[in-house]
Amino acid sequence: MNMVVSRLPPAALSLKQFLQRQRVLGLYRNMLRTIKQVPDAADQKYLRDWARDEFKRNKTATNPDAIRMMITQANNHLEELQTSLALAR
């Protein structure tokens, strides 16, 4: 018997999943970078904790449509925060 052995680990992500994961991680990093620009330390901590909790809470999501919706919501939150920071300057 000649069996084909895959070199990929059993839990390997598809290309689509990998790209989506990269998009989410990039969004998270951008959110944290933007939060660092908030002048008040207490507000910074609140926003950082909020972002961390939201991303952790949705970490196990697998439904592609739900994930797309969450990415859109996170982008909206990020744009809102960036706009608020720009107006405050």
Side-chain angles (χ1 to χ4, degrees):
M1 275 202 228
N2 189 1
M3 293 177 50
V4 177
V5 177
S6 173
R7 291 176 183 236
L8 294 174
L13 299 175
S14 70
L15 177 60
K16 200 172 193 174
Q17 290 169 321
F18 173 79
L19 293 174
Q20 194 169 50
R21 181 176 188 275
Q22 294 306 109
R23 197 173 309 126
V24 170
L25 291 173
L27 180 58
Y28 182 65
R29 282 191 294 272
N30 285 339
M31 196 164 284
L32 292 180
R33 276 189 210 111
T34 303
I35 289 170
K36 279 185 183 177
Q37 298 171 21
V38 173
D40 184 68
D43 289 342
Q44 239 184 53
K45 181 181 176 357
Y46 171 80
L47 289 168
R48 194 174 44 248
D49 291 347
W50 169 80
R52 186 181 295 129
D53 291 345
E54 283 296 306
F55 277 83
K56 270 187 184 175
R57 188 167 58 83
N58 295 310
K59 184 180 180 178
T60 58
T62 54
N63 180 335
D65 293 331
I67 294 171
R68 262 194 307 279
M69 184 192 72
M70 288 183 272
I71 290 172
T72 301
Q73 285 178 331
N75 274 318
N76 291 342
H77 287 303
L78 180 59
E79 285 176 25
E80 207 173 291
L81 180 59
Q82 289 170 335
T83 303
S84 296
L85 284 169
L87 291 173
R89 289 187 189 120

